[in-house]
Amino acid sequence: MLWLLAAALPASAEPLPMTEVAPGVFVHQGVIAEPAPDNHGDTANMGFIVGDSVVAVIDTGGTPDLGRRLRDAITARTDRKPVIVINTHMHPDHIFGNAAFADVPVAGHANLRDALAARQEVYRQRLTEELGAEAAAGIAPVRVDRPVGEELRVDLGNRILVLTAYPTAHTNNDLTVFDRKTGTLFAGDLLFVDHLPAVDGNALGWLRVIDRLERVPAVRAVPGHGPASVAWPGALDAERRYLTTLVEGVRRVLKAGGGIQDAVAQVAEDERGRWLLFDAYNPRNVTATFAELEWE
């Protein structure tokens, strides 16, 4: 079982600042950076949607304290209660705040539970390294109460959310949330804006999922990393370009008989100036894609 680790934020921390990107749709924008003590792990977007009856929470942040501050932000804006937490995928910057919602059922991709269990020790160690031992002092178990195999609809009261599970792309457990009332799509990390996309699944699969995603009849999207909201579907263009460049570049190296080091040194270098955190993620993406395509 995966454990959530508490962050070293002061008990008096204020509710998270939120942006209302559409009526009843609130988003907290994380910083585009690697998790570190100075940002308290607040590096991913998260939010909530208020229906006539109840509230849905979509991702909860990188620490339990961020989750508590998100819950405080909900309380500050509505007397309606959260009835579901929706995790868009397994990465710790999106799920560690679940500890603040221990009384609320959790929905996620059907693969989410196993993916979390397989990485629990790695995530535990990484949080300690990034935020310090004090940040890892408290623990609470993660669970997935409502696994989504293909699609699940959630009624918040005159507001239907459509949860859709996807084949392997960014990860093997990506999930989106579409608010039909406002045409707002919470894309999770299937959409990166400004922050270089991170391939922890399958680059070719991600490109196929992008082709599906652009058919979602949304007018705006909330990326997993980047601005609080962006126009849809145009926000996909830069990500598609990068992933296509990544795949085509690795294929060229392979065709020329080059190895992983050759690929890392040259693939997607013309994308460097277009993204933040390029040096942190492009070598990993190239390595993962080289392994994916080596026996293509």
Side-chain angles (χ1 to χ4, degrees):
M1 180 175 291
L2 181 66
W3 299 97
L4 297 177
L5 310 181
L9 287 178
S12 60
E14 296 180 353
L16 288 176
M18 309 297 299
T19 300
E20 190 170 9
V21 300
V25 181
F26 296 87
V27 176
H28 172 72
Q29 182 179 342
V31 299
I32 298 180
E34 294 285 73
D38 63 345
N39 60 44
H40 302 290
D42 185 9
T43 61
N45 294 346
M46 54 186 123
F48 61 92
I49 300 176
V50 182
D52 286 354
S53 304
V54 293
V55 175
V57 182
I58 304 165
D59 287 338
T60 57
T63 69
D65 229 25
L66 287 169
R68 286 189 286 273
R69 294 177 66 197
L70 176 61
R71 191 156 192 168
D72 288 345
I74 296 170
T75 301
R77 285 164 177 79
T78 180
D79 59 0
R80 293 158 207 164
K81 303 299 182 185
V83 298
I84 190 165
V85 168
I86 304 164
N87 288 136
T88 61
H89 63 292
M90 65 185 174
H91 287 150
D93 52 334
H94 296 263
I95 58 98
F96 277 3
N98 284 20
F101 297 89
D103 58 326
V104 181
V106 176
H109 194 290
N111 292 339
L112 179 61
R113 182 186 291 113
D114 288 346
L116 288 172
R119 297 188 176 205
Q120 63 176 354
E121 292 305 320
V122 173
Y123 289 166
R124 181 197 298 267
Q125 179 180 353
R126 184 181 303 163
L127 184 63
T128 302
E129 293 171 352
E130 291 170 342
L131 300 183
E134 185 179 357
I139 57 174
V142 168
R143 59 185 197 282
V144 181
D145 305 297
R146 300 182 70 178
V148 181
E150 294 184 0
E151 184 177 291
L152 175 68
R153 300 194 175 198
V154 177
D155 188 355
L156 304 180
N158 195 33
R159 189 163 216 154
I160 301 295
L161 305 184
V162 181
L163 282 58
T164 303
Y166 291 87
T168 300
H170 166 62
T171 68
N172 76 339
N173 52 91
D174 296 306
L175 183 81
T176 62
V177 183
F178 181 51
D179 173 36
R180 298 199 307 189
K181 187 170 186 176
T182 64
T184 303
L185 177 70
F186 278 77
D189 279 8
L190 287 174
L191 176 62
F192 282 75
V193 178
D194 298 329
H195 183 308
L196 189 77
V199 180
D200 197 11
N202 182 298
L204 289 176
W206 198 341
L207 285 166
R208 288 191 291 268
V209 166
I210 286 174
D211 290 340
R212 279 184 61 185
L213 280 173
E214 68 179 355
R215 296 194 293 271
V216 176
V219 296
R220 72 186 60 80
V222 179
H225 300 269
S229 72
V230 291
W232 189 259
L236 287 167
D237 292 348
E239 180 176 87
R240 177 189 273 123
R241 184 196 65 238
Y242 170 74
L243 292 171
T244 300
T245 299
L246 177 67
V247 168
E248 291 178 350
V250 168
R251 282 175 170 159
R252 282 195 297 271
V253 171
L254 286 167
K255 186 176 181 180
I260 287 181
Q261 291 182 342
D262 301 306
V264 168
Q266 61 187 268
V267 170
E269 276 297 309
D270 56 346
E271 290 282 318
R272 175 181 294 278
R274 295 170 168 171
W275 301 94
L276 299 174
L277 300 181
F278 183 87
D279 288 329
Y281 287 94
N282 192 64
R284 304 181 204 176
N285 294 342
V286 173
T287 300
T289 305
F290 191 96
E292 174 189 343
L293 301 178
E294 189 171 12
W295 305 109
E296 187 179 39

